[in-house]
Amino acid sequence: MTTSDGRAPVGSGILRHAPREQQWEPAVGGDQETAEAIDRHIEAHFGPIAYVWHEMVSDLVHVDVHVVEPTPDRPFYTLITSGMSELPMAAPEGYSRYAELMISLPADWPMTGEAFRDEAAYWPVRLLKMAARLPHEYRTWLGPWHSIPNGHPAEPYSAGTPFAGVLIAPMIRCAEEANTIVTTSGKEISLLALVPLHPAEMDLKVTGGTDALLDAFSRIDVSEVFDPARPSSV
């Protein structure tokens, strides 16, 4: 598919990255100022941090996942990474070089260590960690409207779920200022949402671009709050 002037639609196509030469590289030392800024930002915009899923061993960056429990105002779990922004991404000029990621899960989502032994419960957390490490692993960047298929061809994240890719998107169920974390020294970190995609939606994004996918999304309710029963918009 091309536009009327012969160009590919914005956001279409697949960018493939070469494998890393070094398969394991210990995470950089912790940036206390950034970590504290992320904690403050979560507490200010999403609620108290109930607990943190800490990584025991980390490749490239140490990615923890902060969990905010459901409340009457936000009746779902909010999961936010910390550690992705300790290294700059290879973003082009004019785009944010620092980012963290988030996803919201239903209030009845199993959130215990025991439950996470089942990939059907753990895959959103695994997805957060994978996406947070990806720009550093491949010396690239993640920004709004980028997408990541789960393999090629894209396969479901686990048995029992149809979702096989993810869109990186701005959050919409929060105040505008929640989209940017600012440290004491002025470092700005984009906080971006993960929106899981059905295979047909992933295909539409690759072939038709961002606008085509967002047009499809306009027909149903899609946001950073993940609905495991959401039908495909395509």
Side-chain angles (χ1 to χ4, degrees):
M1 180 182 296
T2 59
T3 60
S4 59
D5 60 3
R7 294 178 300 174
V10 175
S12 65
I14 298 177
L15 179 62
R16 304 190 190 283
H17 298 283
R20 290 164 59 188
E21 293 181 4
Q22 184 174 342
Q23 294 304 305
W24 177 262
E25 186 175 337
V28 297
D31 177 349
Q32 192 62 30
E33 179 186 310
T34 296
E36 290 174 356
I38 293 169
D39 286 354
R40 289 195 303 270
H41 190 85
I42 294 172
E43 299 268 352
H45 294 284
F46 303 98
I49 298 169
Y51 50 92
V52 181
W53 290 102
H54 290 281
E55 282 191 333
M56 296 297 102
V57 180
S58 302
D59 182 25
L60 295 171
V61 287
H62 181 92
V63 181
D64 292 332
V65 177
H66 300 257
V67 179
V68 177
E69 294 182 325
T71 66
D73 290 336
R74 293 178 58 85
F76 38 78
Y77 285 101
T78 300
L79 281 61
I80 299 175
T81 65
S82 175
M84 178 183 179
S85 60
E86 291 201 352
L87 290 176
M89 300 183 292
E93 187 173 353
Y95 292 89
S96 177
R97 300 175 67 221
Y98 298 96
E100 296 290 348
L101 304 173
M102 65 83 65
I103 191 172
S104 290
L105 301 177
D108 61 354
W109 194 272
M111 291 290 291
T112 65
E114 180 68 25
F116 282 176
R117 294 182 180 180
D118 184 348
E119 194 66 18
Y122 185 65
W123 72 261
V125 179
R126 186 184 301 281
L127 177 59
L128 278 171
K129 289 174 172 287
M130 179 279 293
R133 208 165 259 116
L134 183 148
H136 307 306
E137 184 172 3
Y138 295 104
R139 294 179 174 85
T140 185
W141 67 294
L142 292 178
W145 316 123
H146 289 183
S147 56
I148 309 169
N150 187 38
H152 183 69
E155 298 181 351
Y157 289 112
S158 77
T161 184
F163 298 94
V166 67
L167 179 72
I168 313 297
M171 298 180 294
I172 59 175
R173 294 200 176 187
C174 61
E176 177 64 28
E177 55 268 24
N179 287 278
T180 305
I181 302 165
V182 183
T183 70
T184 302
S185 61
K187 173 181 170 182
E188 294 190 358
I189 304 164
S190 296
L191 181 55
L192 298 164
L194 298 186
V195 180
L197 300 177
H198 286 266
E201 294 170 335
M202 192 72 241
D203 289 343
L204 178 61
K205 172 64 165 56
V206 170
T207 59
T210 301
D211 288 346
L213 180 61
L214 295 183
D215 284 346
F217 277 177
S218 68
R219 297 191 286 270
I220 61 175
D221 183 21
V222 182
S223 74
E224 67 268 24
V225 181
F226 174 56
D227 176 3
R230 176 178 78 76
S232 176
S233 62
V234 178

